[in-house]
Amino acid sequence: MTTTTPPGWYPEPGHTGNGPAMERWWDGTTWTEYTRTAPVPTGAPANGQQPYGGQPSYAPYPSGDVIGSPGGGNRRPRTVAIAIVVALVVIGGIVAAVVAVGNNGSDSADKKSSPTPSATLPQRTGGPQDPQSQNPDDPSNPDDPGAPSDGGPAVDLLDGISLPVLDGWTGGTSQDGSASVSTGSYDCPNDTTGQQSCSLGGAYSEPAKSLKITATTAEAAAKQDIAGNASSSYNSDTYGATTSHQQLQSKAVTVAGQQGYLVRWKISTKSGTGGYVESLAFPSPSHSSQIVIVRFGFDITAKAPGQDVIDQITQGIKADSSAGSGGSTGGTGV
């Protein structure tokens, strides 16, 4: 699955430099109509808002391929990191050239300042965070504002739940407040750029409305989401067209003390990669009128986790009140 640029505030595309610097909200798929004046980088928002203040009532989902597939979302292209490295190299080269000219030229020679290169946000395509993506909240990346898990669960601040981070897995809370977990990594099929990394398995959660799910019951939401989950987790650009799918499960399940529903498919793709995708839906423990979607995406290979791990993660989902939203403390597993 292909990871997209996480949702968040980014420099206004096409800004000419006239007037105050502006930022626009990127929802993970496209630019939205929400804009704001860029905050002064003092370490805290100038207007006292939260880091993602000013966004819609439901934070649009960023990642993805946080999971490549959600779990199933998002293998995460490393385009941004590469762009930063290239920019630094260019700046270093310009500085070196200016110094050389200054040393070799006469003192009376006119000295010209080197231009400052600028970077624009890559227009990456793909669905929300794919479950199969590498953990978008890697603590080794200081530029990522996400909060990685520190031996504990990955907390979804939007829905008042947490996903368990199993041994050998990574997970955390993304910039917009959703949660993701993933394991394993390899070069994505059909990627000739070397800029995409896919994961063997993963899962991520977010409000159903962020995925444009209109259903108001858990069963209807899971059934409505499964096709979009498969398309996002195993998109045609990365894996080739889906050649077949088989429904393995469609049943009611209890999650975090809530009555939910899951739909699980087995799919095959033109690249030869097969996978299990599952859409799990249930009411938020903190907001009973809000449906939560947990997307799973697991490769079918000897190295990838099996369906039993999907069940294990499901059973480990708990209510979480870290956001102070009034959710029950402690929670109840499946």
Side-chain angles (χ1 to χ4, degrees):
M1 286 129 274
T2 304
T3 303
T4 61
T5 301
W9 293 105
Y10 295 97
E12 171 75 0
H15 181 64
T16 62
N18 296 323
M22 299 296 293
E23 293 182 333
R24 184 173 293 273
W25 180 260
W26 170 261
D27 68 5
T29 302
T30 186
W31 294 108
T32 68
E33 71 272 26
Y34 301 100
T35 61
R36 72 175 185 182
T37 300
V40 178
T42 59
N47 58 5
Q49 293 178 331
Q50 294 300 315
Y52 41 90
Q55 64 195 68
S57 56
Y58 284 109
Y61 194 79
S63 177
D65 108 310
V66 152
I67 212 182
S69 348
N74 305 301
R75 296 175 184 161
R76 194 173 179 190
R78 297 184 291 272
T79 305
V80 174
I82 292 175
I84 293 173
V85 172
V86 172
L88 292 176
V89 171
V90 171
I91 293 172
I94 293 173
V95 172
V98 171
V99 172
V101 171
N103 289 338
N104 295 328
S106 64
D107 293 339
S108 62
D110 292 335
K111 298 181 180 180
K112 299 181 181 180
S113 59
S114 60
T116 302
S118 60
T120 57
L121 181 68
Q123 300 298 304
R124 286 182 267 180
T125 59
Q129 177 173 300
D130 288 322
Q132 267 110 335
S133 66
Q134 287 301 95
N135 176 24
D137 306 304
D138 185 347
S140 66
N141 180 2
D143 297 321
D144 195 312
S149 173
D150 185 17
V155 178
D156 180 340
L157 301 176
L158 303 176
D159 297 303
I161 63 169
S162 64
L163 306 182
V165 180
L166 308 179
D167 290 345
W169 287 58
T170 57
T173 304
S174 69
Q175 181 182 17
D176 77 335
S178 59
S180 65
V181 294
S182 64
T183 187
S185 67
Y186 61 94
D187 293 336
C188 294
N190 298 334
D191 174 38
T192 59
T193 67
Q195 297 178 1
Q196 293 183 334
S197 177
C198 292
S199 62
L200 294 172
Y204 76 91
S205 63
E206 61 180 301
K209 288 185 177 181
S210 295
L211 294 169
K212 300 182 180 179
I213 301 300
T214 58
T216 57
T217 67
E219 179 176 354
K223 291 179 177 179
Q224 183 182 350
D225 183 67
I226 187 64
N229 181 4
S231 177
S232 174
S233 298
Y234 291 91
N235 64 77
S236 59
D237 289 342
T238 302
Y239 297 94
T242 297
T243 56
S244 67
H245 81 267
Q246 173 188 1
Q247 181 167 291
L248 302 179
Q249 293 187 37
S250 180
K251 66 179 184 180
V253 62
T254 302
V255 186
Q258 307 298 311
Q259 295 303 305
Y261 201 90
L262 68 81
V263 177
R264 184 180 301 174
W265 283 4
K266 177 181 179 181
I267 67 171
S268 299
T269 65
K270 190 174 181 180
S271 69
T273 301
Y276 297 115
V277 292
E278 177 177 300
S279 291
L280 171 66
F282 56 95
S284 164
S286 301
H287 312 282
S288 59
S289 62
Q290 178 172 306
I291 299 295
V292 183
I293 296 289
V294 180
R295 283 183 169 183
F296 295 83
F298 283 43
D299 282 0
I300 302 177
T301 69
K303 294 182 179 181
Q307 296 185 70
D308 59 317
V309 179
I310 297 179
D311 298 331
Q312 184 179 356
I313 292 175
T314 300
Q315 293 164 4
I317 297 174
K318 297 181 181 298
D320 189 285
S321 58
S322 298
S325 55
S328 58
T329 304
T332 303
V334 177

